[in-house]
Amino acid sequence: MEQSSFIYGGIYEMNRITKENTSTFYRDMIRLALPIVMQNLITTAVSSADVVMLGFVSQTALAAGSLASQIMFILNLVYTGISSGIIMLAAQYWGKKDTRTIEKIMGIGMRLSILISLLFFILAFFSPSLLMHIFTNDPSLFGPGKTYLRIVSFSYLFMSISQVYLCTMRTIERVIFATVVNGTALVLNIILNAVFIFGLFGAPKMGIAGVALATTIARFVELALCMADALKFKTLRFRPVTIFQHHKLLFADFIRYSLPAFGNEVSWGVAFSMYSVIMGHLGSDMVAANAVVVVARNLGTVVCFGIANAGAILLGKSIGAGRMDLVKADASRFCKVTFFSGVAGGILIFLLRPVFMSMSDLSTVSQGYLNIMLFINMYYVIGQAMNSSVISGIFRAGGDSRWGFICDFIDMWIYAVPLGFLSAFVLKLPPMWVYFLICTDEFVKLPFVYRHYKSYKWLKNITREF
């Protein structure tokens, strides 16, 4: 009887601990993910505002702004790659409460971010025609696109510092601060968009140039708020000297783990931009429809990507603290939450379809394209949510960024991009068939992602003792 009581008591205790761990995981997930989701929603709102406002200016302005903003899209992927390196290392060191090492990691990230942003600034300011020629052969889009790029190029310099600082703050679980700062800048961006596009409050009507100016001013304000915070926040100090310091082992670790993530984001992002190149050569109607559907897709995945960021921080923190027993169970919960949020995203696109259809003054042809593209994205967001969350969240939390880089490179550059060019320019299929074939990319790699996840080869502690 005593032995039986002991066994049942042990089982009860294990069940109690499991339930506590489960509730703790979901509570922490909500605490971290909710502010990130709010930030992503605001970002999507800014994109939506750009589309709506430029759509009222003209379809040419909408198409030109959409293509020119692909440069910012690629640069944001660079920031995401650098941020991934910061999150992979800093989250595990945060689990060890080693803030001095996190300060050095932030300095390394800023050094890389500033150098790359400077290169983008030079290209956008001095050679905007070259960049526009990459994305389209429509002469009517060159002039507005060049104007946009020259003005918005200054925002690249401001973001090179602010994005790394905010990423580091999110990694140490200051997600509310990061969301408030980023959200303030983005709301300001929407207000200034209206002021400069339509000439409100006595301002001149600037059209597409107003969008670029609004973005630049908002990003400057964001940087100013970050630097004001850096002067008073004591737990983790921003020391400009760390940008220039050399830490051999730590820099080697940063490069080892961030370079594949960086390559992954850039490779994926450039390939995704190739989709815009393909559609850009299918006509301005296709470009305008795609500008709207990108907003719909971003809205459909906004919760998923917030969960991915939160999951990477939580899992990385547990790994750094040596709590390997929790990581597998939490990763499983993380996948379930991501899947259901992806399904919800698809349903949201379906419910808001009438709104997206009326967002801009599109031609009849563009509206026909948009209608079909919205239905395609109802399923596409589920695959994108699952793959992105597992590759960028779970795998990178354990320091495994190399596998995701290889997987995405093969999927995008050996399958999706060649298929897109072949279907568009060789087989000359109708535009909607080209778009449908391109959107099969996420589901081709899904079985391989699941297999690597179940192998648990991604689960590693990558911290050092300094």
Side-chain angles (χ1 to χ4, degrees):
M1 181 67 72
E2 289 182 3
Q3 183 179 6
S4 177
S5 298
F6 176 78
I7 292 173
Y8 284 122
I11 293 174
Y12 173 80
E13 184 65 17
M14 288 177 61
N15 289 336
R16 185 185 64 80
I17 292 172
T18 300
K19 289 180 180 179
E20 287 181 357
N21 290 338
T22 301
S23 62
T24 299
F25 172 81
Y26 288 124
R27 184 171 60 250
D28 288 344
M29 175 68 76
I30 293 172
R31 176 175 59 85
L32 292 177
L34 192 57
I36 297 174
V37 168
M38 291 301 299
Q39 177 184 322
N40 291 343
L41 278 172
I42 296 170
T43 302
T44 302
V46 172
S47 301
S48 302
D50 287 353
V51 170
V52 171
M53 294 177 190
L54 284 177
F56 281 114
V57 174
S58 69
Q59 182 168 305
T60 298
L62 172 61
S66 173
L67 292 178
S69 65
Q70 290 299 308
I71 305 302
M72 178 70 84
F73 172 72
I74 295 173
L75 185 56
N76 276 327
L77 291 169
V78 172
Y79 296 143
T80 302
I82 293 173
S83 296
S84 296
I86 293 172
I87 291 172
M88 276 189 285
L89 286 166
Q92 292 202 14
Y93 280 107
W94 180 240
K96 296 177 65 175
K97 298 302 178 184
D98 186 353
T99 56
R100 290 302 294 241
T101 300
I102 297 175
E103 291 174 6
K104 296 172 184 176
I105 293 169
M106 179 167 62
I108 293 170
M110 279 191 183
R111 181 161 71 245
L112 295 174
S113 177
I114 290 170
L115 289 174
I116 296 172
S117 297
L118 183 61
L119 174 62
F120 272 74
F121 166 76
I122 292 171
L123 287 172
F125 187 79
F126 294 103
S127 303
S129 297
L130 174 64
L131 297 179
M132 286 301 298
H133 273 285
I134 294 173
F135 292 102
T136 185
N137 56 2
D138 188 339
S140 67
L141 303 181
F142 291 160
K146 286 163 57 179
T147 300
Y148 177 91
L149 285 172
R150 278 207 171 98
I151 298 173
V152 84
S153 63
F154 290 94
S155 71
Y156 305 162
L157 301 178
F158 306 144
M159 293 175 67
S160 66
I161 297 175
S162 63
Q163 295 306 296
V164 173
Y165 184 83
L166 292 174
C167 167
T168 307
M169 294 301 107
R170 282 192 291 269
T171 305
I172 63 171
E173 301 180 76
R174 291 188 73 202
V175 288
I176 294 178
F177 163 77
T179 298
V180 169
V181 171
N182 194 250
T184 300
L186 293 174
V187 170
L188 178 63
N189 196 349
I190 292 178
I191 296 172
L192 293 178
N193 272 347
V195 170
F196 294 131
I197 291 175
F198 302 117
L200 304 179
F201 308 113
K205 289 186 177 181
M206 300 177 65
I208 192 171
V211 175
L213 181 59
T215 299
T216 302
I217 294 173
R219 292 302 182 182
F220 175 77
V221 171
E222 180 181 70
L223 174 61
L225 292 174
C226 288
M227 293 301 96
D229 178 75
L231 293 175
K232 62 179 183 179
F233 185 59
K234 305 299 181 184
T235 303
L236 188 130
R237 302 298 301 273
F238 168 58
R239 308 173 198 272
V241 69
T242 59
I243 298 175
F244 307 100
Q245 289 177 342
H246 183 66
H247 307 281
K248 186 176 180 180
L249 282 177
L250 196 57
F251 183 77
D253 283 345
F254 191 95
I255 295 299
R256 178 184 176 186
Y257 297 112
S258 69
L259 196 59
F262 175 79
N264 190 356
E265 298 295 343
V266 173
S267 174
W268 181 86
V270 173
F272 214 79
S273 292
M274 287 298 104
Y275 296 170
S276 295
V277 171
I278 294 169
M279 284 179 274
H281 287 79
L282 294 176
S284 61
D285 287 320
M286 191 67 177
V287 173
N290 187 57
V292 177
V293 87
V294 166
V295 174
R297 184 192 302 135
N298 289 341
L299 185 61
T301 55
V302 67
V303 174
C304 311
F305 293 150
I307 291 172
N309 289 331
I313 295 169
L314 286 176
L315 294 176
K317 181 182 176 183
S318 295
I319 294 170
R323 304 190 68 187
M324 299 298 184
D325 55 317
L326 286 178
V327 176
K328 290 184 180 181
D330 284 349
S332 178
R333 299 181 188 112
F334 176 63
C335 288
K336 292 175 184 177
V337 172
T338 300
F339 174 75
F340 286 114
S341 65
V343 172
I347 294 172
L348 183 64
I349 291 176
F350 174 75
L351 294 176
L352 294 180
R353 181 175 155 274
V355 176
F356 296 128
M357 291 296 297
S358 60
M359 276 182 64
S360 297
D361 185 18
L362 300 178
S363 67
T364 303
V365 175
S366 280
Q367 286 187 333
Y369 289 158
L370 177 60
N371 184 43
I372 298 173
M373 292 163 79
L374 287 171
F375 279 110
I376 291 174
N377 275 273
M378 283 170 53
Y379 77 83
Y380 185 77
V381 295
I382 299 174
Q384 187 179 29
M386 290 302 299
N387 287 324
S388 299
S389 295
V390 175
I391 291 174
S392 301
I394 294 176
F395 294 169
R396 291 181 185 176
D400 186 357
S401 55
R402 182 173 175 270
W403 190 92
F405 170 53
I406 295 172
C407 177
D408 276 342
F409 184 88
I410 293 173
D411 181 57
M412 300 295 279
W413 289 102
I414 297 181
Y415 172 74
V417 172
L419 180 63
F421 277 97
L422 177 67
S423 60
F425 306 123
V426 178
L427 300 178
K428 299 186 182 299
L429 296 178
M432 284 301 92
W433 275 105
V434 175
Y435 187 79
F436 171 77
L437 290 172
I438 287 174
C439 288
T440 60
D441 61 337
E442 295 291 349
F443 293 92
V444 167
K445 69 182 178 184
L446 192 57
F448 301 96
V449 172
Y450 178 76
R451 181 180 177 183
H452 186 65
Y453 163 73
K454 294 301 291 185
S455 74
Y456 295 106
K457 293 179 180 178
W458 49 269
L459 184 53
K460 297 175 184 177
N461 188 320
I462 59 175
T463 60
R464 295 179 183 270
E465 295 295 336
F466 289 103

